[in-house]
């Protein structure tokens, strides 16, 4: 069964990981917005250096759906 978690990290403040049986399969993260720029959620399949970038989404629900559909 798939489950979304919020792991504790020092470098990515808005991270959501897709896990199955405690194994992370993909993640979504959103860089901090600045005064002049708004960032989209970034979607990845896999974890670490082997992660594949799937695309950008403007809301969390769509971003999570993109990652879940790629697994």
């Amino acid at each position: 069964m798939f489950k979304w978690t919020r792991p504790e990290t020092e470098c990515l403040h808005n991270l959501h990981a897709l896990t199955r049986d405690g194994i992370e399969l993909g993640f979504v993260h959103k860089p901090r917005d600045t005064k002049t720029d708004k960032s989209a959620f970034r979607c990845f399949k896999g974890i670490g250096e082997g992660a594949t970038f799937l695309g950008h989404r403007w809301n969390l629900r769509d971003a999570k759906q993109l990652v879940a559909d790629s697994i």
Side-chain angles (χ1 to χ4, degrees):
M1 180 172 164
F2 294 108
K3 179 180 176 184
W4 286 97
T5 61
R6 299 246 355 223
E8 293 287 329
T9 66
E10 292 182 14
C11 58
L12 299 175
H13 76 285
N14 194 1
L15 178 69
H16 302 266
L18 179 63
T19 62
R20 181 176 56 196
D21 299 325
I23 300 170
E24 295 174 339
L25 303 173
F27 67 97
V28 170
H29 99 89
K30 183 177 185 292
R32 291 181 192 237
D33 293 336
T34 65
K35 188 175 185 180
T36 58
D37 293 324
K38 302 298 180 204
S39 299
F41 287 92
R42 297 177 183 172
C43 310
F44 293 87
K45 178 181 178 181
I47 299 293
E49 289 187 26
T52 303
F53 178 69
L54 299 172
H56 293 94
R57 293 295 181 266
W58 285 104
N59 65 53
L60 182 59
R61 185 187 54 141
D62 290 345
K64 286 181 174 181
Q65 188 64 45
L66 177 64
V67 174
D69 289 345
S70 72
I71 303 297

